[in-house]
Each structure stands twice: as C-alpha cells, then as structure tokens.
Amino acid sequence: MDTVITMAQLGLAAAAVAAFVRAARGPTLADRIVALDLILLLLAGAVAAHGARAGTELFVPALIVVALVAFAGTIVVARFIEWRDGR
Amino acid sequence: MTPLELVGALFIIAGTLLSVLAAWGVLDFPSALARMHAATKSASLGLSLIVFGAAIDEGSWGLLGMAALVATFLFLTAPISGHMVGRATYLAGRVDNLVHDDLAGAPHTPLAVGNGVRSGFSAARLISVTVIWMLLWREVSPGTLLGGAAAAAVIEGIRKAPVGQDSIRLRGLLVFAARYIQMVFVSNARVAWEVITPSNEQIREAIVAVPLASSTPAVGLLVANAISFTPGSLTIEMTGDPLVLYVHVLHFESVEQVERDVRKLEAYAGEVFQRADTVGSP
C-alpha cells in the first residue's frame, strides 16, 4: 500500500508540474486559473493519499478547505475577467 | 494486503491516472475552451476516486460518508466553474477557432432564478442538512444534532426558491443519477482517449444553441450541469425567458446531433421533477 501511495503522489506531483507549465504559459488569464484550480485539486488528492498512508482521518477538513478555496477562487477570477473585459 | 486495501489501492491508482490525464490535457489541448473540458471532467472524478480509495483503505463508514460528500461537492461545483470561466473566456473574445457559433450576437437575458419567494419548511431538507452537519463533525452526539438542526433551520429560514418551484420525484432522481454516473465514466474515457492519441487536428469546436422551451429553470439547471459531464460538451452560457442553453462541443458534426444529445438529457432530467403547475392533478 505504501508503494502504491508513493507512486500516486509522484504521479500527482508530475501532473502538478504539467499544470504549472500551463499556468506559466497562459496565454489567457482563464488558462492560468483553470491550471491553478487543477493544481489545488491535485494537492487535495495528494493530501487524501497521505491520509490513507498515515491511517488518520484528520485530512478530511483540509481536503474540504482546499476544494472550497479552489472553487471560490476560480469563480472570483471568472467574475473578474468578465468585469475587466465587459467595461 | 487485505482485500479492502487492494480495492482502495485500485481506486487511488485509477484516480491518479485520471488526474495525470487531466493535467496532460490542460497542458496539451490546442485551445482555451478545449483545455477546460479536460480540467472539468477528469479532475473531479480523479479526486473523487482518490478520496473514495482512501476511505475504503481505512475501512471506515464515517470516512466513506465524507468521501461521498466531497464527491457530491466536486460534481456540483466543477460544471459551475467550467461554465463561468468558459463564458468569461468567450466574452473576453479569446475564442476564435469555432466552426459554428450560435452565441455570437445572441441576446443576453440572464436567468431570473434568484427572484423567488420564501419557501416553506421541508422536513426532508431539514433532516438532510442535519445529517450532513453531523457527518462534517464526524460525531453523533446531542451537541452536533442540535447544531445541525439549528444550521438547517437558519438555511430554511433565509432560503428563497423560484416561483412555482418543482418538487423532486425519487424514482426519476435515481434513474437520472444512474445515467449520470454512467455518463461521467464514458466522458472520462473519451477525454482520456483524446489525450493519449495525438489527434488535435480532428477537434472541430463549435458553440450550439439548444432551446429548452418546455423546461422549467430547475430542469434546465440539471441539464446544464449534466451536459458538462457528457462526452465532449460543456455548458458555456444559459439565458432565460425562453430558456436557451449554449453548449460548447469538441467534435462538431451537426446542430441536430448536439440537439438530440441534449434532448435525451432533458427527458431524463424532466423525470426528476414534478412540475409545480401539475402537482395534485392526475
């Protein structure tokens, strides 16, 4: 099980690197926020995987907070794009 | 390794693979809207699978309930952020590779779902919010019960619903849920296939307007959410009065094809709600 979780976390880290490249490259703000949203979801996945290895249930609140921040942040930036380009 | 651990490990592996595919799609797809398809569909199922895997590995019912809550939350929010970012991208004028575009010059009438009336108290909603509250506290005690009931009462007190709100039919909801889960897996398989086969030149993006003239806002909302999880389509905009959905598709063949897919969903979604104006009539 530990091997599986280590592999999963390595995979998630690699995915985060790919998303980070998209966030840095853009070209639009929407691309960047979608990539950053994805990085947060990948982080939540890594937290859950860590929780499975550590045998603790304490990771769940952290998971919910990360997912909520990802959602709220994306919505706010989408609103901002519409406001900025709609003036 | 116990059987539970094995199943948990399989879930975590599948979730990781989907997450990696989502990231690869976000990196590799040729246009901003196409990249949103990968992020919306694969990332939410990927994270849900990992959380379920962790819960199964622990073998704890409380954790499994939490995983179900997290998954529900993800599946409710992913289409919303996909829709909002997609619409912002479109309005910013960053979409220029469409072979067909119904949204250009379309009238902008926002949906008036918020202008509702205060709805009455419902025991089913009160109980479900209380249960969710107790799940979040991970504890069944008089304190969490009271706290949950208080939170539920406050939500019910300030909650406003659209005029003529539809009531939910359990059987229709179950049929819709089964169909929905099946769609989520099919569309993830499609996105995965899309990502691993370098066929970017086959992508023909289009935005198609589908009028949902006969549907109530509640049905329209359900359809708009579900479309974002059907293979190769994403809700970009929704205007009210009359209700029109604007759907972004990755592989455009014809307007009729898109319309047929949406109509199928509309029929399933229509079964979930009993229309307010027909309640009580045979």
Side-chain angles (χ1 to χ4, degrees), chain B residues 113-123 125-126 152-166:
Chain B
V113 176
N115 312 337
V117 291
R118 179 117 345 135
S119 61
F121 277 71
S122 135
R125 278 199 302 265
L126 275 170
V154 168
I155 292 174
E156 286 289 295
I158 59 173
R159 180 178 177 280
K160 278 186 172 179
V163 183
Q165 196 203 10
D166 310 332

Side-chain angles (χ1 to χ4, degrees), chain A residues 11-85:
Chain A
L12 291 171
V17 169
F20 185 77
V21 170
R22 175 51 72 196
R25 210 192 263 168
T28 67
L29 183 54
D31 282 312
R32 295 184 215 277
I33 190 61
V34 166
L36 291 174
D37 181 43
L38 180 58
I39 290 178
L40 277 181
L41 290 187
L42 294 171
L43 174 70
V47 168
H50 174 77
R53 173 164 51 198
T56 165
E57 303 186 353
L58 286 173
F59 69 93
V60 176
L63 201 71
I64 292 172
V65 168
V66 171
L68 261 174
V69 168
F71 174 60
T74 309
I75 293 296
V76 168
V77 174
R79 282 273 184 199
F80 169 71
I81 296 173
E82 282 191 26
W83 170 80
R84 185 189 61 181
D85 298 332

Side-chain angles (χ1 to χ4, degrees), chain B residues 5 8 24 98 102-104 123 130 141 144 169 264:
Chain B
E5 278 185 7
W24 187 253
L98 301 172
D102 283 336
L103 193 49
T130 310
S141 70
T144 56
R169 273 195 293 218
K264 239 185 283 172

Side-chain angles (χ1 to χ4, degrees), chain B residues 117-152:
Chain B
V117 291
R118 179 117 345 135
S119 61
F121 277 71
S122 135
R125 278 199 302 265
L126 275 170
I127 291 169
S128 51
V129 172
T130 310
V131 168
I132 289 172
W133 179 276
M134 282 158 72
L135 269 174
L136 285 168
W137 278 99
R138 325 271 341 275
E139 188 182 309
V140 181
S141 70
T144 56
L145 184 68
L146 270 176

Side-chain angles (χ1 to χ4, degrees), chain B residues 260-276:
Chain B
R260 216 171 319 139
D261 290 349
V262 175
R263 290 267 172 264
K264 239 185 283 172
L265 275 176
E266 196 188 6
Y268 281 112
E271 289 295 308
V272 176
F273 295 102
Q274 179 136 32
R275 290 182 73 125

